[in-house]
């Protein structure tokens, strides 16, 4: 492939690709993202390919391995275009039927359709599924329309036209101005205005300058960066090149965490292809502008996602933060001006350049523009990735898109912002989501994790979980973070084990404030958020743990006991056989009893007891009732 | 150390020759291919790239993806990210420990298994998730965990 030499050549190539494609030709788009891979989509893809070959349909149908469309709960997800028929939970054995019915006879395979749990109705088209219907998928929507390993697919969708527009029709100042007018704020968590970062790097007259993509998505419970990087790497690269042009940089880095092997692979392929086409590297599109991009893999450290830490990691050193009295925009990688933005921030740039700042800022709220991708996970029906306009309410995300809380459980809280965020209770579900609103509630946008918790989740345990994570990930460079988090964790550990003391809450609050105010980087400064928000909204749970040694959610192992309700036990032996400790006594026709001294509280009996019996009972803060006498344990089955 | 391993290390060092700041990338490659980073490997890098060995040791001991001990034949990563945690990831971990007869994470004495926790693999929708030798297993239950581990020898 000879390098493209002008914007016109790129446009010609696009027309060529499009004219070689028949828009009416059926295309089977199969998700090949990490989520579906975990559910075995590899076999589904292979079977589709075999079947198409066997039926000699190669000329009549395309197969596309796409990035993650977000509907992970229902993987493997298969969409058939141009109609947009959606099949969920597809297995290799379903493939022959899909080909025979849908591709050949143009009929829908009913049993593979998604069923709306509230109406029990089957939904045929992707666009009618509520999970998709209420989203605004300007970024992630393209994931199912392209094969991330094919630059042709991206170009066909208008890819790199924003870069061409910037290079040939805009000055770097105009690009910067467009980003400024768009109101785009950093998608990595803090929400710092993107243009301001760009402007400070642009204003430093030092060469070289570096532009960096932060894909060190270490927040547990968040995977939108993974999906974009795996599913549409060219959109990130295009944004990066435009940013480099605006800031006068010629060198880019992509920092991807090593836990995302597929993202590393796909972005590597994308860079090679873009260089081959003359869309990255030397003399891009014949404009004279150079931009070389290199991938760096992270090596597993949450703190390395912090900007100054990430930059030291790129230099091959231990990724620890440093005080930022000199900003990274002046001295970053190798002490050169560096601009670090999140994957999602970069991916927004081509859209802003192509569609204009006015279009972008028409989406969202006063202070937060555009869309945001959230990873909606936890106890909710439709888990997966959702892209919504800023300003949508939490309730709409959880109930309209997410389909509500799993089972018949009661909603308790939604945790946003990862370990730096907080738990938001039910009374704030109607708050609009934007940067400032979430901060007001004591949480934050973070990179976009959204974990739904129900009545079975203990809020003290949740705070403990995050502190445990942060204590482990704290790099130890500054004392407040290293020692403060550890002390808070010890107190929370004690509370969860029933060893909480009077005054613990006050001490926690004091420690939290100190850690927040005095830590070196954002890891420490935001670490107390999970404790502070749970104390703010769920203080009574802390008090129950400390004063009554009771876990109201029946989750803290040390504070609960299990017993079998003799009036419900049918002596079916299921729990008895599954108990790993041999702690259940009983027999056929003999009501089972748990030996409290042997019970390890592993919850197995509770899980296996058939729901129609529901004989295993959990209690907390009260003793278990004494077991029935030996005679009463014999079940008279005739009765 | 076997000559073949030393050759491999040299080959990896050559991959990044002449480029600055590649220590982490280089170490990751050694970790991927030899499954651990031995003292000999660190000494070799130190000598050839003129980096103080203390500096290399600091990097290796800082990052989770690098291991100072040889890892087992099969690597079992149990995800304890938030989404997996709220869906019972700890129970999966307990089951794996019980099955492998281990009190803590680490490598079994026969070096057949290495058990480790990871903080989010980014497939939260399928939680709890376990990865064995790079193969993802979603929607785990304690009993499925046992069945899965039995398949590896």
């Amino acid at each position: 492939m000879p390098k493209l030499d002008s914007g016109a050549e790129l446009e010609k190539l696009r027309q060529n690709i499009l004219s070689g494609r028949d828009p009416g030709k059926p295309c089977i788009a199969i998700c090949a993202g990490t989520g579906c891979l975990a559910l075995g989509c590899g076999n589904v893809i292979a079977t589709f390919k075999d079947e198409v070959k066997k039926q000699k349909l190669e000329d009549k149908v395309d197969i596309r391995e796409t990035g993650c469309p977000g509907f992970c709960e229902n993987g493997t997800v298969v969409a058939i275009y141009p109609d947009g028929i959606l099949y969920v939970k597809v297995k290799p054995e379903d493939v022959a039927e899909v080909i025979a019915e849908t591709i050949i006879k143009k009929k829908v395979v009913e049993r593979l359709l998604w069923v709306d749990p509230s109406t029990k109705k089957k939904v045929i088209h992707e666009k009618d599924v509520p999970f998709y219907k209420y989203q605004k998928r300007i970024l992630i929507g393209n994931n199912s329309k392209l094969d991330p390993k094919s630059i042709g697919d991206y170009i066909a969708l208008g890819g790199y036209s924003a870069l061409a527009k910037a290079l040939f029709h805009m000055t770097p100042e105009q690009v910067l101005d467009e980003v400024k007018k768009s109101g785009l704020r950093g998608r990595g968590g803090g929400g710092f205005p993107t243009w301001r970062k760009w402007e400070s790097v642009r204003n430093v007259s030092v060469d070289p300058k570096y532009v960096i993509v932060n894909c060190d998505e270490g927040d547990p419970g968040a995977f939108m960066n993974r999906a974009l990087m795996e599913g549409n790497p060219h959109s990130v690269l295009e944004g990066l090149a435009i940013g480099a042009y605006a800031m006068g940089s010629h060198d880019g880095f992509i920092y991807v965490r090593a836990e995302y092997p597929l993202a590393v692979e796909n972005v590597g392929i994308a860079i090679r292809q873009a260089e081959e086409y003359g869309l990255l590297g030397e003399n891009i599109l014949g404009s004279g502008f150079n931009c070389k991009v290199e991938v760096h893999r992270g090596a597993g450290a949450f703190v390395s996602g912090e900007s100054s830490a990430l930059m030291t990691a790129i230099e091959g050193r231990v990724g620890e933060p440093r005080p930022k009295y000199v900003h990274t925009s002046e001295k970053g990688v190798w002490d050169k001006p560096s601009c670090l933005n999140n994957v999602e921030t970069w991916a927004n740039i081509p859209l802003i350049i192509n569609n204009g700042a006015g279009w972008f800022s028409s989406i969202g709220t006063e202070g937060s523009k555009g869309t945001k991708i959230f990873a909606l996970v936890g106890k909710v029906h439709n888990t997966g990735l959702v892209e919504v306009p800023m300003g949508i309410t939490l309730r709409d995300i959880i109930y309209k898109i997410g389909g509500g809380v799993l089972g018949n459980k009661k909603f308790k809280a939604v945790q946003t912002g990862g370990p730096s965020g907080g738990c938001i209770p039910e009374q704030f579900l109607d708050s609009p989501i934007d940067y400032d609103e979430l901060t007001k509630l004591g949480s934050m946008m973070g990179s976009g994790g959204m974990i739904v918790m129900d009545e079975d989740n203990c809020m003290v345990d949740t705070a403990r979980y995050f502190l445990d994570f942060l204590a482990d990930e704290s790099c130890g460079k500054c004392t407040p973070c290293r020692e403060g988090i550890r002390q808070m964790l010890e107190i929370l550990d004690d509370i969860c084990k029933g060893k909480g003391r009077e005054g613990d809450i006050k001490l926690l609050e004091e420690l939290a404030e100190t850690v927040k105010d005095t830590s070196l980087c954002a890891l420490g400064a935001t670490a107390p958020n999970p404790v502070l928000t749970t104390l703010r909204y769920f203080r009574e749970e802390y008090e129950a743990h400390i004063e009554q040694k009771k876990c109201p959610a029946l989750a803290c192992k040390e504070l609960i006991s299990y017993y079998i309700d003799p009036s419900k036990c049918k002596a079916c032996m299921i729990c008895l056989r599954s108990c790993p400790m041999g702690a259940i006594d009983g027999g056929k026709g003999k009501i089972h009893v748990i030996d409290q001294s042997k019970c390890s509280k592993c919850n197995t009996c509770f899980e296996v007891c058939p729901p129609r019996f529901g004989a295993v009972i959990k209690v907390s803060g009260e003793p278990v009732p004494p077991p029935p006498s030996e005679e009463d344990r014999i079940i008279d089955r005739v009765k | 150390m076997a000559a073949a391993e030393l050759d491999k290390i040299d080959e990896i060092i050559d991959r990044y020759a002449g480029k600055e700041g590649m220590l982490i990338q280089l170490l990751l490659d050694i970790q991927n291919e030899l499954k651990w980073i031995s003292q000999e490997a660190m000494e070799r890098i130190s000598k050839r790239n003129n980096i103080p060995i203390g500096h290399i040791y600091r990097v290796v001991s800082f990052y989770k993806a690098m291991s100072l001990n040889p890892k087992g034949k099969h690597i079992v990563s149990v995800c304890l990210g938030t989404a997996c945690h709220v869906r019972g990831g700890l129970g999966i971990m307990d089951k794996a420990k019980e099955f492998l007869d281990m009190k803590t994470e680490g490598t079994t004495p026969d070096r057949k298994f290495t058990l480790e926790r990871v903080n989010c693999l980014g497939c939260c929708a399928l939680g709890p998730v376990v990865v064995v030798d790079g193969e993802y297993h979603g929607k785990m239950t304690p009993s499925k965990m046992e069945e899965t581990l039995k398949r590896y020898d």
Side-chain angles (χ1 to χ4, degrees):
Chain A
M1 166 81 204
K3 286 194 177 184
L4 300 169
D5 213 22
S6 64
E9 274 190 30
L10 173 69
E11 194 43 44
K12 211 170 91 193
L13 174 67
R14 181 184 344 276
Q15 294 309 331
N16 271 346
I17 296 173
L18 287 176
S19 63
R21 287 184 181 181
D22 169 10
K25 185 178 174 188
C27 173
I28 306 171
I30 312 157
C31 171
T34 302
C36 283
L37 272 179
L39 291 169
C41 75
N43 282 334
V44 177
I45 294 169
T47 319
F48 263 112
K49 284 184 177 163
D50 284 352
E51 190 64 26
V52 165
K53 210 188 252 169
K54 221 165 69 190
Q55 304 257 10
K56 302 203 169 45
L57 290 168
E58 286 107 321
D59 300 332
K60 298 205 173 63
V61 59
D62 287 325
I63 291 181
R64 192 189 297 142
E65 297 172 40
T66 74
C68 176
F71 207 21
C72 307
E73 181 80 24
N74 292 286
T76 299
V77 186
V78 174
I80 313 231
Y81 297 107
D83 300 340
I85 299 168
L86 179 75
Y87 290 141
V88 297
K89 298 188 179 168
V90 179
K91 300 265 176 303
E93 50 273 27
D94 303 324
V95 168
E97 195 180 340
V98 171
I99 299 274
E101 293 296 313
T102 311
I103 301 298
I104 299 175
K105 293 190 210 146
K106 308 280 171 211
K107 275 175 33 206
V108 172
V109 182
E110 293 268 335
R111 65 182 180 83
L112 294 173
L113 294 175
W114 181 78
V115 183
D116 189 328
S118 54
T119 60
K120 308 279 175 239
K121 276 195 181 141
K122 289 182 172 165
V123 182
I124 299 174
H125 296 104
E126 214 175 28
K127 61 175 177 22
D128 299 324
V129 174
F131 177 79
Y132 290 119
K133 200 160 84 182
Y134 297 105
Q135 295 190 43
K136 187 161 182 67
R137 297 158 61 86
I138 60 175
L139 290 169
I140 203 175
N142 277 345
N143 271 16
S144 48
K145 295 186 198 139
L146 55 83
D147 175 350
K149 293 185 170 70
S150 153
I151 192 172
D153 278 7
Y154 184 64
I155 291 176
L157 289 171
Y160 288 103
S161 59
L163 177 62
K165 183 175 172 188
L167 290 178
F168 298 108
H169 303 289
M170 292 168 90
T171 62
E173 292 81 8
Q174 284 172 325
V175 174
L176 181 66
D177 197 50
E178 203 64 28
V179 175
K180 181 176 179 179
K181 278 192 281 187
S182 74
L184 176 67
R185 292 169 69 173
R187 297 296 193 243
F192 193 74
T194 304
W195 70 273
R196 227 182 255 165
K197 253 190 201 180
W198 285 27
E199 191 182 55
S200 28
V201 172
R202 179 173 164 70
N203 286 344
V204 188
S205 45
V206 173
D207 201 56
K209 296 175 184 175
Y210 297 108
V211 284
I212 309 161
V213 178
N214 186 351
C215 186
D216 189 41
E217 189 173 47
D219 281 30
F223 54 106
M224 44 264 137
N225 292 351
R226 172 182 71 66
L228 275 180
M229 213 48 157
E230 281 176 9
N232 196 353
H234 285 289
S235 67
V236 183
L237 292 174
E238 186 180 2
L240 185 71
I242 295 170
Y245 172 71
M247 285 176 262
S249 160
H250 307 290
D251 293 280
F253 289 110
I254 311 235
Y255 189 89
V256 193
R257 68 197 287 248
E259 289 91 332
Y260 289 171
L262 188 60
V264 174
E265 185 189 328
N266 285 1
V267 76
I269 295 172
I271 292 173
R272 279 198 298 282
Q273 289 177 340
E275 282 175 351
E276 197 189 307
Y277 279 66
L279 294 161
L280 277 183
E282 305 272 307
N283 193 15
I284 294 175
L285 288 173
S287 67
F289 171 69
N290 307 329
C291 184
K292 200 172 92 258
V293 181
E294 220 175 80
V295 178
H296 273 246
R297 285 163 294 159
F302 179 64
V303 72
S304 294
E306 194 273 345
S307 62
S308 65
L310 190 148
M311 293 182 193
T312 21
I314 286 181
E315 295 170 9
R317 296 187 288 135
V318 164
E320 282 179 355
R322 62 161 177 79
K324 281 194 266 190
Y325 38 80
V326 179
H327 290 291
T328 48
S329 52
E330 284 170 46
K331 287 188 172 189
V333 179
W334 307 114
D335 275 346
K336 302 291 179 200
S338 305
C339 176
L340 175 87
N341 283 133
N342 178 267
V343 173
E344 205 181 324
T345 316
W346 288 118
N348 269 306
I349 301 295
L351 297 175
I352 292 171
I353 297 300
N354 263 340
N355 303 314
W359 166 81
F360 188 80
S361 60
S362 70
I363 309 166
T365 62
E366 187 59 38
S368 307
K369 301 295 185 192
T371 62
K372 176 78 194 86
I373 309 176
F374 290 98
L376 182 63
V377 296
K379 307 278 186 69
V380 63
H381 275 287
N382 304 326
T383 47
L385 286 180
V386 301
E387 183 179 350
V388 288
M390 297 273 191
I392 191 174
T393 62
L394 285 163
R395 190 183 298 280
D396 279 353
I397 294 189
I398 296 167
Y399 288 91
K400 275 194 181 162
I401 298 174
V405 178
L406 275 178
N408 290 319
K409 300 284 181 180
K410 201 172 152 335
F411 171 88
K412 187 177 211 170
V414 55
Q415 207 278 348
T416 72
S420 315
C423 296
I424 299 169
E426 186 159 19
Q427 69 257 37
F428 297 111
L429 275 185
D430 292 311
S431 310
I433 299 178
D434 70 11
Y435 291 99
D436 314 298
E437 206 57 46
L438 287 174
T439 311
K440 249 190 263 165
L441 296 175
S443 184
M444 65 189 279
M445 183 82 78
S447 61
M450 195 171 269
I451 298 132
V452 178
M453 297 188 232
D454 65 13
E455 54 189 330
D456 292 342
N457 292 114
C458 167
M459 289 296 115
V460 187
D461 176 65
T462 304
R464 197 197 63 81
Y465 166 79
F466 283 114
L467 284 198
D468 185 39
F469 171 81
L470 290 162
D472 197 35
E473 293 291 350
S474 167
C475 72
K477 189 168 177 174
C478 76
T479 320
C481 172
R482 182 184 66 233
E483 297 302 327
I485 293 178
R486 196 157 297 282
Q487 293 306 325
M488 283 196 283
L489 175 62
E490 254 177 52
I491 297 171
L492 286 170
D493 255 337
D494 277 350
I495 296 177
C496 288
K497 284 183 182 151
K499 293 182 203 152
R501 285 170 304 188
E502 211 194 308
D504 274 355
I505 294 182
K506 212 169 151 267
L507 189 58
L508 268 178
E509 282 173 326
E510 202 184 313
L511 276 164
E513 290 304 330
T514 312
V515 173
K516 194 172 180 166
D517 291 341
T518 56
S519 290
L520 172 63
C521 79
L523 190 151
T526 55
N529 282 350
V531 180
L532 288 171
T533 52
T534 46
L535 271 173
R536 182 158 146 196
Y537 301 124
F538 300 96
R539 187 176 278 263
E540 67 290 350
E541 281 197 35
Y542 280 82
E543 286 162 354
H545 279 73
I546 296 171
E547 287 158 24
Q548 302 151 43
K549 312 293 173 208
K550 176 180 177 176
C551 174
L554 302 171
C556 292
K557 237 180 176 181
E558 270 87 351
L559 295 181
I560 51 171
S561 310
Y562 294 80
Y563 74 92
I564 295 169
D565 184 340
S567 65
K568 291 181 179 163
C569 178
K570 300 283 182 252
C572 68
M573 311 264 295
I574 295 179
C575 65
L576 190 149
R577 280 199 209 101
S578 358
C579 177
M581 307 307 289
I584 300 177
D585 175 68
K588 260 214 170 120
K590 189 179 180 193
I591 285 171
H592 304 347
V593 168
I594 299 176
D595 180 345
Q596 298 295 327
S597 64
K598 285 188 190 160
C599 175
S600 71
K601 301 174 187 177
C602 67
N603 207 45
T604 305
C605 54
F606 188 81
E607 273 166 27
V608 297
C609 183
R612 60 184 193 281
F613 304 158
V616 180
I617 313 284
K618 276 198 255 189
V619 287
S620 179
E622 54 187 287
V624 299
S629 69
E630 283 298 313
E631 300 143 40
D632 290 344
R633 286 178 65 187
I634 308 302
I635 298 182
D636 185 353
R637 292 211 184 261
V638 189
K639 237 177 4 186
Chain B
M1 173 178 275
E5 286 189 7
L6 212 53
D7 285 349
K8 188 92 234 171
I9 292 168
D10 276 334
E11 184 205 311
I12 293 170
I13 295 175
D14 291 340
R15 254 179 235 172
Y16 297 100
K19 278 171 117 181
E20 247 187 303
M22 286 296 158
L23 181 61
I24 294 174
Q25 308 306 309
L26 196 164
L27 289 167
L28 279 173
D29 284 0
I30 295 182
Q31 174 73 43
N32 280 344
E33 291 184 32
L34 302 178
K35 305 293 171 212
W36 71 303
I37 293 166
S38 61
Q39 191 177 333
E40 286 94 333
M42 288 188 274
E43 281 166 0
R44 192 77 178 172
I45 301 167
S46 168
K47 205 169 128 200
R48 288 202 48 199
N49 285 8
N50 209 10
I51 302 171
I53 191 155
H55 180 89
I56 302 173
Y57 181 79
R58 182 161 139 75
V59 170
V60 177
S61 58
F62 181 83
Y63 286 108
K64 277 211 186 70
M66 301 172 192
S67 156
L68 285 160
N69 296 306
K71 288 205 174 177
K73 190 172 151 198
H74 303 296
I75 296 174
V76 183
S77 313
V78 180
C79 183
L80 292 177
T82 324
C84 290
H85 176 79
V86 302
R87 287 194 185 181
L90 271 179
I92 310 292
M93 186 55 133
D94 287 345
K95 189 77 203 176
K97 283 185 192 162
E98 183 196 310
F99 181 80
L100 299 172
D101 195 18
M102 293 165 82
K103 288 219 162 52
T104 54
E105 289 139 43
T107 304
T108 50
D110 61 3
R111 285 211 195 148
K112 229 158 98 179
F113 288 97
T114 293
L115 178 65
E116 55 190 24
R117 68 176 279 182
V118 285
N119 291 317
C120 199
L121 294 155
C123 29
C124 310
L126 316 172
V129 177
V130 173
V131 179
V132 186
D133 297 344
E135 200 183 313
Y136 290 72
H137 302 270
K139 301 190 176 170
M140 268 287 162
T141 60
S143 53
K144 253 170 84 183
M145 181 80 222
E146 188 166 338
E147 277 166 42
T148 308
L149 289 178
K150 273 184 188 155
R151 276 191 265 136
Y152 292 87
D153 191 40

